[in-house]
Structure formats: C-alpha cells, structure tokens
Amino acid sequence: MKILRHMTVIAVSLLILLGLPFFTSDYFRSLLSGNTIDAVSSATVTLDQPSGNYVVLINRDRRSDSETLHQWTDFFSGKETGIIFEDIRCGVIRYDTSGLEMAASYQSQLPENQMKIDTEDAMFLLSKAGCGRFDIIVMSEEAAESYSAFTLYENENTEVIKVKGGAR
C-alpha cells in the first residue's frame, strides 16, 4: 500500500510540474484546434517592391559554396529560385526608408525568420562592409551615392547587384 501511495504522489507531482504548463501552452491549444504553424512555407502576404533603383551587396566570403551565392544572386535579381537553405542578416541604412521597404519586400518573399533585417547608422554599416563584416546590404541608389558606397563595389569579395524596384 505504501508503494502505491508513493507512486500516486509521484505521478500527480509530475502531472502538475510538467503537464500543467504544457496544457496551458499555445502549442497544446494549436494541437487541439488544428491550426499548426508551418515553419517551412513562405510568408502569406508578399509586400510589393517600392519603385526606384536599389543596390544589393552580397558578401561572397559568407556564402558556404558558390551555389548558395548564385541562389541569393538570382533571388535578389528577381529570378525564380528554389528553396534556399541558409539564413541571412540584411543590413539597411537607418534613414534609408526606401531601402528598408525594399528589404522588407525581400523578407516577405522568404520563409519566416530566414532573413533578419538590421537597421544601422550609415557610416557604421559601410565601414563594417569595407572590412567584410556583413552578410547582405540593401540600400537605395540615392543612399549609395550619398554615402559613397561605390567604393565597396571594387572589393573582390563583394557581389554587387543593381535592382530596379517595382519589377515583381
């Protein structure tokens, strides 16, 4: 009888410690309702690209192989690509609103959390880019001219893509 009581106390304790948080979680509620989140599918609302001219800089050193570089180049150029199995961080100049809108448009075309957008001060972002400490940079052509970003175009480890917005 002592063993049965001991096992009952342990079972009830485990149910309270582990079961109660699980049964009150959003995951459990989504299992009951059938509304599960698909982490692989792309976003449901794709934002339109703003009009204008843009520059996308891709750090070749950060691409694991040449195929992913070509996939990202095709993606940012507006060509059809398959699934890209790589997460990226996209730098945008803080006060470049059209560059930020373009980056958000690109982000909306990818699966959730595949592209993280970081807004940074222009000089800080471009100095990091000069040292090769960036992944992707999206900026409007006006911002690129204003901050003399053309000096980064000659860097052999930087892929430069010029994009005409509003194409998709």
Side-chain angles (χ1 to χ4, degrees), residues 81-144:
T81 59
I83 297 173
I84 304 173
F85 294 103
E86 184 179 51
D87 293 344
I88 58 171
R89 295 185 78 80
C90 177
V92 179
I93 295 173
R94 185 177 317 272
Y95 299 111
D96 183 13
T97 55
S98 59
L100 183 59
E101 288 175 8
M102 186 63 143
S105 172
Y106 284 132
Q107 184 184 39
S108 71
Q109 298 166 32
L110 294 169
E112 187 177 1
N113 299 324
Q114 185 173 7
M115 180 174 156
K116 168 94 170 83
I117 297 176
D118 298 325
T119 57
E120 299 183 36
D121 182 61
M123 290 300 125
F124 182 65
L125 181 65
L126 296 177
S127 68
K128 281 176 35 178
C131 297
R133 296 181 46 140
F134 74 101
D135 204 11
I136 306 285
I137 295 177
V138 175
M139 66 181 108
S140 65
E141 196 171 78
E142 293 84 16

Side-chain angles (χ1 to χ4, degrees), residues 149-167:
F150 59 86
T151 58
L152 300 171
Y153 299 178
E154 289 92 30
N155 189 342
E156 64 187 34
N157 295 327
T158 302
E159 181 79 21
V160 180
I161 303 169
K162 296 195 177 189
V163 180
K164 176 91 171 139

Side-chain angles (χ1 to χ4, degrees), residues 1-12:
M1 195 63 169
K2 238 179 168 179
I3 293 174
L4 184 61
R5 187 173 36 157
H6 181 69
M7 288 176 52
T8 304
V9 168
I10 289 175
V12 169

